[in-house]
Amino acid sequence: MSKAVMGQDGSIRLSAEFLLKRRLSQGMEWWLDQRDVALILLPRLSDLRKLYVEPTTVCNLNCRTCIHNVWKDSKAHMEMEIMRQLVEQTREFPELRRVVFSGLGEPLTHPHILEMVRLVRERDLAVTIGSNGLLLDKAMARELVALGVDRLVVSLDGVTPETYAGVRGAMISQVLDNIRGLNEAKRELGSLTPTLGIEFIALRSNIAELADLTGLASQLGAARVLVSNVLAYTDEMRDEILYGYEPHPPFSTGSWPVKAGAWVMWGTLELPRMHWGAEQHCRFVQDRAMVVGWDGGVAPCYALSHNYSYLAIDGRRKEVTRYALGNIAEQTILEIWTSEEYCRFRNEVRDFHFPSCPDCDLRESCDLREQNEGCWGWNPSCADCLWAQNIVQCP
């Protein structure tokens, strides 16, 4: 009896005899890959757990730290028809638990963001929203509470008005008032959600305020503070970087040391890694997540979801090309998720089958590093990804 049968789409269906011997599920389909002399079975599973949705690339701010300073992609809102198709297609994923509205724009600028949230909540999926908080007025806050949004992550890159304005060009008082308004709406509606998270981008110019931020988080009722290093898109941000090749001491602000994994009275404090060299892993692949952009394009992570440039850990400018594995206007997300290319990519990332470019003796003369490529393994390459090192983090 043959061990394998080729499906019409090129996938491999293993015979019942082979499956029984190997204790694999009968009827499961696999892609067959080869690396050197080894054969690798890549199961086609509908096991997506987390879906990042970029409702818009429009933003109401012009932050010094933002990718918008260097990119040339469109600034536009997702069409509601794309969102409706997306939500309907999520029915194919029994393990999907959470939808995160975030991306490289401000979700609350979308004129139909509440309808988007309502569609997802009708599927009984948990919702996280990442926001700068400036559009979170009382009416919006009450709607989000009433819809059952269970997590809201607000970016605060400073505690003093001067520092916050220096990064974001806006008034922190408005954000804080809006967060207090959210807490008031939760009390009035008798809800414990959405729980509040705070994201802080650590810079040389604001790190002294991290200790005060934890105190402010306590006052605001935050359950989590996530600290990330900055990804330097501009030469100006190069001077703000706190991390590097060599080991760095933990964050310390005066007499108050900030320790990774700390538990404070209001919740958790999550700190980034400060130097290159950790065992690399991708949280997007580890969490079985995908990113759907404003135009319906599917990318495996935020880092590969747009065209832009940034300064790598050695200071060289790197051009990143968007890696789109499909578009939900043309294929279903199940077809994209279980495609040969996407299954192979996730396997390469799980094994992190990429060179370590920052450790290579030829890195100074290698032109491949100026694009999103490597000298071996899969391309686009994740070889010097700062997310995979936990140097840069996102909710």
Side-chain angles (χ1 to χ4, degrees), residues 189-356:
L189 297 176
S191 176
L192 296 176
T193 58
T195 57
L196 176 66
I198 291 176
E199 184 179 15
F200 179 86
I201 304 300
L203 309 169
R204 291 190 182 277
S205 58
N206 72 0
I207 190 60
E209 297 185 10
L210 180 55
D212 291 333
L213 177 67
T214 60
L216 178 61
S218 178
Q219 296 173 22
L220 297 173
R224 177 191 186 203
V225 171
L226 176 71
V227 181
S228 174
N229 281 297
V230 67
L231 187 64
Y233 299 111
T234 63
D235 291 334
E236 178 193 8
M237 285 297 104
R238 187 202 310 264
D239 297 330
E240 293 276 14
I241 289 174
L242 294 164
Y243 55 89
Y245 276 115
E246 301 301 323
H248 282 55
F251 288 129
S252 179
T253 55
S255 60
W256 195 87
V258 184
K259 298 180 179 179
W263 173 267
V264 250
M265 66 178 181
W266 40 262
T268 58
L269 174 66
E270 299 177 34
L271 298 178
R273 186 175 174 84
M274 297 305 296
H275 61 92
W276 185 269
E279 179 181 353
Q280 300 185 96
H281 69 279
C282 174
R283 288 192 178 183
F284 285 91
V285 169
Q286 185 180 42
D287 293 346
R288 299 183 194 172
M290 73 157 53
V291 177
V292 178
W294 69 274
D295 58 353
V298 173
C301 61
Y302 278 148
L304 295 173
S305 64
H306 283 282
N307 301 293
Y308 62 97
S309 66
Y310 75 98
L311 298 172
I313 196 167
D314 62 353
R316 293 183 70 181
R317 183 157 292 279
K318 184 182 186 72
E319 296 286 339
V320 176
T321 302
R322 184 185 189 187
Y323 184 37
L325 290 143
N327 191 294
I328 66 168
E330 302 166 358
Q331 299 170 275
T332 68
I333 53 173
L334 179 61
E335 291 171 337
I336 297 170
W337 179 256
T338 59
S339 67
E340 181 178 12
E341 182 178 2
Y342 206 164
C343 289
R344 287 189 62 196
F345 175 79
R346 292 198 299 274
N347 186 68
E348 294 289 304
V349 175
R350 275 191 293 267
D351 293 344
F352 224 85
H353 188 230
F354 304 103
S356 183

Side-chain angles (χ1 to χ4, degrees), residues 75-187:
K75 291 187 178 181
H77 297 311
M78 176 181 282
E79 295 180 3
M80 282 304 298
E81 182 55 33
I82 290 179
M83 187 65 198
R84 292 188 187 96
Q85 290 180 34
L86 177 60
V87 173
E88 182 61 30
Q89 292 171 19
T90 61
R91 299 180 186 278
E92 300 293 333
F93 296 93
E95 296 183 39
L96 181 62
R97 295 292 180 267
R98 180 171 297 279
V99 174
V100 181
F101 288 99
S102 185
L104 302 181
E106 168 53 49
L108 300 188
T109 64
H110 196 293
H112 304 297
I113 186 63
L114 294 176
E115 179 63 19
M116 290 179 160
V117 173
R118 184 176 292 107
L119 289 171
V120 174
R121 292 296 298 132
E122 287 174 353
R123 285 275 295 110
D124 199 28
L125 298 171
V127 170
T128 298
I129 296 179
S131 174
N132 58 43
L134 286 163
L135 300 178
L136 186 68
D137 58 23
K138 292 181 179 179
M140 177 65 72
R142 289 185 67 88
E143 290 283 359
L144 296 181
V145 174
L147 285 170
V149 173
D150 73 326
R151 294 179 188 171
L152 179 69
V153 182
V154 177
S155 298
L156 281 179
D157 300 329
V159 174
T160 65
E162 296 78 14
T163 299
Y164 180 85
V167 176
R168 294 190 168 260
M171 296 174 60
I172 191 174
S173 59
Q174 183 179 345
V175 180
L176 299 181
D177 286 345
N178 287 346
I179 292 175
R180 294 183 183 108
L182 172 69
N183 290 336
E184 182 180 348
K186 289 162 60 176
R187 287 192 296 270

